[in-house]
């Protein structure tokens, strides 16, 4: 196919100028190279495309028909290549990103900055807590906490800490003694979170380098932190969520925080994508935006 294109491009160049010499100068090749390419094309097609004399070159009827179509096709091919090149040199096009539900609100600022700076870029966010095969499911990148990456994945650490918080409503806590140490949670109704794997998210605490895990129980189980926070606001129990998600309700007093000196933080947040080559300019801009905002 490449050889065919070279022969057709050589023919179009000669047909445009009706001169082998001028076409050769324009393409930076020898006259004999162009002549050979045109002859090979004529032999391949089985028709004469150019009438040649020692003084002039003219198109045959078949040559005129091919010239009109081939010139347009080559122009469209050049435009297509230029359009693809834009993806390499300028941030342009659509990106698909998979992000954990609890983290997705924290990336909105970076995305808003990205699309404001690069109006030809659009981003689709799929909020999902499961570990996604981004190649198989058509994503450009993903964000996850401290996961083991596949061998062909590139991981970029996003330097941002997410603090957990145990929160409950004043109505719930006024009727019960607030937990003073993690073990006290065994005497409370806890709002649980089920991971995509089916396992309940463990309530793990840390203070002074000492880590403790508490087996909690409760009547409500969700797979979304927003619903957990809403249940806590309704007095259904204590929820173990990202502090950032609960912050507006903590600031307003609608939720109270428990065990602040015991709650851990996660800082192993990564953006990952496939392969070290052919990273689009849009994806590079997204990575820069997320790193800058963090």
């Amino acid at each position: 196919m490449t050889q065919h294109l070279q022969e057709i491009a050589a023919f179009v160049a000669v047909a445009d100028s009706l001169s082998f010499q001028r076409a050769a100068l324009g393409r930076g090749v020898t006259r004999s190279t162009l002549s050979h390419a045109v002859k090979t094309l004529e032999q391949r097609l089985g028709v004469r495309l150019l009438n040649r004399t020692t003084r002039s070159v003219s198109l045959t009827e078949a040559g005129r028909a091919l010239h009109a179509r081939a010139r347009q096709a080559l122009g469209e091919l050049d435009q297509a290549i230029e359009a693809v090149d834009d993806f390499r040199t300028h941030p342009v096009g659509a990106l698909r990103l998979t992000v954990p539900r609890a983290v997705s609100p924290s990336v909105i600022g970076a995305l808003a900055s990205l699309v404001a700076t690069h109006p030809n870029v659009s981003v689709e966010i799929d909020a999902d807590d499961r570990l996604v095969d981004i190649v198989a499911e058509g994503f450009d990148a993903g964000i996850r906490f401290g996961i083991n990456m596949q061998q062909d994945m590139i991981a970029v650490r996003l330097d941002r800490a997410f603090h957990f918080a145990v929160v409950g409503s004043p109505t719930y806590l006024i009727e019960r003694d607030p937990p003073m140490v993690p073990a006290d949670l065994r005497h409370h109704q806890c709002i649980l979170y089920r991971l995509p794997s089916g396992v309940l998210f463990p309530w793990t605490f840390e203070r002074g380098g000492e880590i403790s895990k508490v087996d909690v129980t409760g009547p409500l189980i969700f797979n979304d932190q927003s619903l957990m926070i809403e249940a806590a606001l309704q007095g259904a129990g204590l929820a173990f969520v990202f502090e950032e998600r609960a912050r507006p309700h903590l600031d307003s007093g609608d939720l109270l925080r428990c065990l602040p000196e015991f709650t851990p933080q996660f800082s192993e947040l990564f953006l990952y994508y496939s392969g070290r080559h052919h990273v689009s300019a849009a994806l590079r801009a997204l990575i820069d935006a997320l790193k800058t905002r963090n």
Side-chain angles (χ1 to χ4, degrees):
M1 177 62 74
T2 301
Q3 184 64 33
H4 290 188
L5 286 175
Q6 290 174 348
E7 293 165 0
I8 292 172
F11 162 72
V12 170
V14 175
D16 282 346
S17 61
L18 293 179
S19 167
F20 279 91
Q21 188 62 37
R22 287 195 295 270
L25 289 172
R27 291 178 61 81
V29 298
T30 65
R31 185 182 187 283
S32 61
T33 297
L34 281 187
S35 178
H36 176 73
V38 173
K39 286 180 181 178
T40 302
L41 179 61
E42 290 176 326
Q43 290 171 359
R44 193 188 306 280
L45 297 177
V47 295
R48 178 176 287 276
L49 301 172
L50 296 172
N51 292 317
R52 309 162 178 83
T53 70
T54 57
R55 295 184 178 181
S56 65
V57 176
S58 62
L59 288 164
T60 65
E61 185 175 355
R64 286 193 294 272
L66 178 61
H67 179 238
R69 302 288 291 273
R71 196 171 191 276
Q72 179 180 353
L74 289 175
E76 292 176 353
L77 183 59
D78 285 340
Q79 292 175 9
I81 292 173
E82 289 175 4
V84 171
D85 193 55
D86 280 343
F87 285 87
R88 180 180 61 84
T89 58
H90 306 290
V92 60
L95 295 171
R96 295 187 71 221
L97 184 66
T98 172
V99 185
R101 288 190 183 96
V103 175
S104 53
S106 69
V107 304
I108 299 300
L111 299 181
S113 175
L114 172 69
V115 297
T117 306
H118 304 291
N120 293 322
V121 173
S122 64
V123 184
E124 176 183 346
I125 293 293
D126 184 83
D128 195 332
D129 292 331
R130 65 191 175 87
L131 182 57
V132 174
D133 184 334
I134 61 174
V135 174
E137 300 191 33
F139 288 95
D140 295 283
I143 293 178
R144 289 295 182 271
F145 282 103
I147 61 174
N148 293 321
M149 304 291 173
Q150 297 174 349
Q151 288 186 350
D152 62 344
M153 291 293 157
I154 310 300
V156 178
R157 185 166 183 163
L158 304 177
D159 294 326
R160 178 164 185 176
F162 287 82
H163 295 266
F164 270 93
V166 176
V167 298
S169 71
T171 302
Y172 173 84
L173 289 169
I174 201 171
E175 298 175 354
R176 300 165 179 81
D177 292 330
M180 303 304 295
V181 294
D184 293 343
L185 291 168
R186 295 190 179 96
H187 307 297
H188 283 267
Q189 292 185 171
C190 294
I191 301 165
L192 308 179
Y193 177 82
R194 191 176 297 281
L195 295 165
S197 64
V199 176
L200 292 175
F201 185 77
W203 288 41
T204 303
F205 300 89
E206 186 271 335
R207 186 173 72 166
E210 182 178 346
I211 298 175
S212 61
K213 178 180 176 182
V214 181
D215 293 324
V216 298
T217 60
L220 295 178
I221 302 173
F222 298 98
N223 69 345
D224 185 279
Q225 286 201 15
S226 296
L227 296 177
M228 295 172 68
I229 291 172
E230 183 60 34
L233 287 167
Q234 299 298 324
L238 300 178
F240 192 45
V241 296
F242 283 131
E243 178 187 0
E244 182 176 323
R245 300 297 305 276
R247 174 51 54 195
H249 304 294
L250 292 171
D251 290 343
S252 68
D254 293 330
L255 288 177
L256 302 177
R257 185 172 182 179
C258 305
L259 305 171
E261 68 273 26
F262 289 94
T263 47
Q265 72 176 36
F266 279 85
S267 58
E268 299 285 317
L269 187 65
F270 293 89
L271 179 140
Y272 65 103
Y273 59 93
S274 178
R276 294 186 180 272
H277 303 292
H278 308 302
V279 176
S280 71
L283 181 54
R284 287 197 300 270
L286 172 65
I287 295 170
D288 290 342
L290 288 168
K291 292 180 69 175
T292 299
R293 295 287 295 197
N294 285 288

